[in-house]
Amino acid sequence: MVQDGRGIDRLLRPRSVAVVGASSEPFSLGANVMANFETFGYTGNLHPVSRRFETINGIPCRKSISELPDGIDLAALVVPAAAVRQAIEECAAKGIGSAVIFASGFAELGEEGLAEQAEIARIARAAGMAVLGPNCLGFTNFVSSVPVTFERIQPMALNGPAVAVVAQSGAMTGNIREALRSRGLPIAYAISTGNEAVLAAEDILSELVDDEAVGSFAVFVEQIRNPSAFLAFAHMAWDRGKPVVLMHPGRSQRSREAAQSHTGAMAGDHAVMETFVRAAGVTLVSSFDELFDTTLLRHRYPHARINGLGIVTNSGAVRGFCLDFCEDIGLELPLLQQETSEALADVLPDFAAIDNPLDITAMGMSKPSLFGDSCAAMLEDKGIDALLVAAMGGAPRQVMAKWESLKPVMSDAGKPVAIAFMGDELPMPQEFLEDIRATGVPFFRSPERAMRAFANIARLEYHTGLPAPAQLPGGTTRTVAEHQGKALLRERGIAVPDGELARDLASAKAIAARIGYPVALKVQAAHIAHKSDLGGVKLNLTDEAALDRAWQDIETSLENHAAGEAIDGMLVEKMAPAFDLELVVSARRDPSWGVVLIFGLGGVLTELLRDIRMVPAGVPRAVIESKLLSLKAAHLLQGYRGSPRLDIDAVVELLERLAQLMLDDCSIAEIEINPLAVYPEGGGVRILDVLMTRRD
């Protein structure tokens, strides 16, 4: 990390640039870099460094870095990997503020390359140099016309806030930049961070968040190296109304392995990352189409909050498809309000079925004004937050007729809108394409892509305050015996069954007599995490004789399976009454991101259905409850087919207390309660078993 933003400012907005390895040889990387500066009309001081050429593009060349004037802002290093370290040393000696390293052959190749990369980073940090790369495409600053990249590129005129594209992969930087450009989105910056020896994506993003030329962010990363810094950036972007759309591959094991070989990334827990970045207001996407489409909508409508989508079409088949598709992707299509239905009835033919999605029927072909009139009525509906027109465009004259009807309504709509004219590669009239781009109305050729983009915005469920940074002490992890874990929970006001550790049978009988039968008897030792596997659990002991037999049985089982291993004793615990539902609940400290709460159905259903939810510790109570009720099996909590509503408040309170305990005690690595017995409303919950681990 660079000590302050000055180094990054010198990198991204340099007033002087040295191109080390400059060339005039056609198609060479050094020639491409120089040609870009000429194409962009760079107004700063440009210093080519080349042993082969006396001048390039009319600019005199220096033979070495040592001949450069002191204090140049940026050095673009177009040199092979073997020459990078010496070049960085020479740049540091000349007081050069920043550098871009294009060369590959470092951390992505293994230990030897990683060691060389680390040495280069050490030299740069010692000199206070902001370094982009290695193994990167460089960057283009379209705002100040600074193209520090070996990819031939053209300038772009900007008029208002534009998109900042930041990606670790050079190919993805170009892919995203050109895709957004083709959709009519202006680009302020396109930056490839590569192996991130010194500067990571989050450093660049933090520098750009207050840039007035930037209105939104499209980000592609394979690893977030400093989660706290990334989350701080995301919260700042949210506060400033600058949407962040993120694509982060790595859900599969093979994808994580590919990231390591690609940019030297060490991927973390993808699900935990998702949980935290979504809570910071980031729109997470899982495909390139979604990245392009969602960025288009989020940039056009940065403050949009979408719960319900309205759809207007001229096809009953499209209407039916949209109903199915929106259900599949979890996008709400609200019923129309009475006033809306009445307004639509005034403009549509009598045989039109007034609903959402709305089929205006084939009459839209002979009477194109139906498109605009219907959309105007739909946009007045308070339950509709955004509107999509999904229709066949038809012949050029029909396309223009539909657009002329829609244009005044959609270009001035106070809600997010989009048009999807189907027909795949069927050419659209150039007049239409130019006009719709000028209005800024998002245009699609596929209603599916538009609906997915709207659904991604709809998943902006909540935005929390900045969480505490992750803390995890060093040392070894140890398991805490169940009785000790429950004692700690009891101290924090979390209800656990009445019980006590017994060192011998006599004390076990005394404890049982005090708390009352029936009781459970469980062997206790930190090294025995799965007590049932060793025959160390006996349940529903109804009297002293049953307790006596159970004690002897457990001792015999331990002699057979764990002879010689010390135990703390046996936990004598009051049996919980029969319960209606069991959940699995845990709080885990991720070493990179912080504390996350995980909950779902317990027992065999946990692995069978994989129906779990996550939230960061510290989110508002309402968010925890909302996530709990978003479980596929939430109807079991709310009462199903006459069964009683369960104590949802008690579950939420337990989760809140677990989160606070983890935030207060940073030595706790994980607490898992499995099962958690849930009783009817007012009956609370019971912790039947707990597994706790600490790091010392």
Side-chain angles (χ1 to χ4, degrees), residues 124-145:
R125 287 195 177 98
M129 291 178 64
V131 174
L132 196 66
N135 187 27
C136 75
L137 189 68
F139 73 91
T140 303
N141 174 346
F142 290 95
V143 182
S144 305
S145 296

Side-chain angles (χ1 to χ4, degrees), residues 4 73 123 139 181 216 225 234 261 293 345 362 420 432 445 462 471 491 514 536 556 577 679:
D4 57 56
D73 282 334
I123 296 166
F139 73 91
R181 204 171 184 172
S216 65
R225 299 177 192 274
S261 63
D293 300 338
F432 163 72
R445 297 307 307 271
Y462 57 92
Q471 292 175 299
E491 290 174 8
R514 178 179 61 79
T556 300
Y679 293 90

Side-chain angles (χ1 to χ4, degrees), residues 130-365:
V131 174
L132 196 66
N135 187 27
C136 75
L137 189 68
F139 73 91
T140 303
N141 174 346
F142 290 95
V143 182
S144 305
S145 296
V146 185
V148 189
T149 178
F150 56 82
E151 178 191 23
R152 290 303 304 270
I153 192 167
Q154 295 298 314
M156 175 184 290
L158 301 181
N159 182 19
V163 183
V165 176
V166 177
Q168 288 163 340
S169 162
M172 287 306 102
T173 304
N175 176 34
I176 298 165
R177 181 196 68 227
E178 293 308 306
L180 297 181
R181 204 171 184 172
S182 72
R183 302 292 292 274
L185 282 180
I187 308 298
Y189 297 86
I191 303 171
S192 162
T193 59
N195 286 11
E196 302 184 338
V198 176
L199 291 176
E202 50 269 23
D203 300 312
I204 299 296
L205 292 165
S206 297
E207 169 67 22
L208 296 179
V209 73
D210 282 323
D211 192 313
E212 292 182 358
V214 175
S216 65
F217 295 87
V219 183
F220 181 98
V221 295
E222 292 153 290
Q223 181 197 14
I224 297 173
R225 299 177 192 274
N226 187 336
S228 294
F230 183 87
L231 292 175
F233 148 73
H235 286 287
M236 286 189 290
W238 177 277
D239 290 342
R240 290 153 178 73
K242 299 184 177 185
V244 181
V245 182
L246 169 67
M247 184 174 175
H248 187 316
R251 288 191 301 274
S252 69
Q253 178 61 32
R254 291 188 66 183
S255 176
R256 290 190 291 272
E257 292 169 356
Q260 285 183 263
S261 63
H262 183 205
T263 59
M266 296 295 292
D269 189 313
H270 196 277
V272 174
M273 177 280 300
E274 278 197 42
T275 299
F276 278 88
V277 300
R278 287 191 189 280
V282 173
T283 307
L284 203 64
V285 299
S286 57
S287 73
F288 292 118
D289 285 349
E290 288 182 41
L291 178 60
F292 308 148
D293 300 338
T294 307
T295 300
L296 174 64
L297 288 181
R298 292 235 63 200
H299 184 80
R300 178 67 178 83
Y301 306 108
H303 304 291
R305 302 292 177 266
I306 297 173
N307 293 312
L309 176 69
I311 298 177
V312 173
T313 183
N314 58 349
S315 165
V318 171
R319 177 180 180 276
F321 165 76
C322 290
L323 286 166
D324 289 342
F325 192 77
C326 287
E327 182 174 303
D328 290 342
I329 63 175
L331 182 57
E332 187 72 24
L333 297 174
L335 296 175
L336 299 178
Q337 295 181 344
Q338 181 64 32
E339 296 87 344
T340 308
S341 297
E342 292 173 355
L344 288 168
D346 289 340
V347 298
L348 291 174
D350 294 340
F351 52 85
I354 297 176
D355 198 1
N356 182 28
L358 176 68
D359 173 15
I360 66 171
T361 76
M363 287 291 291
M365 180 175 282

Side-chain angles (χ1 to χ4, degrees), residues 3 29 65 88 107 236 265 302 337 341 412 428 451 465 496 584-585 606 610 633 659 687:
Q3 296 301 312
L29 300 189
I65 295 173
I88 288 291
M236 286 189 290
Q337 295 181 344
S341 297
D412 294 326
M428 290 282 107
M451 287 185 284
V496 297
V584 58
V585 166
T606 303
R610 304 193 67 81
I687 296 172

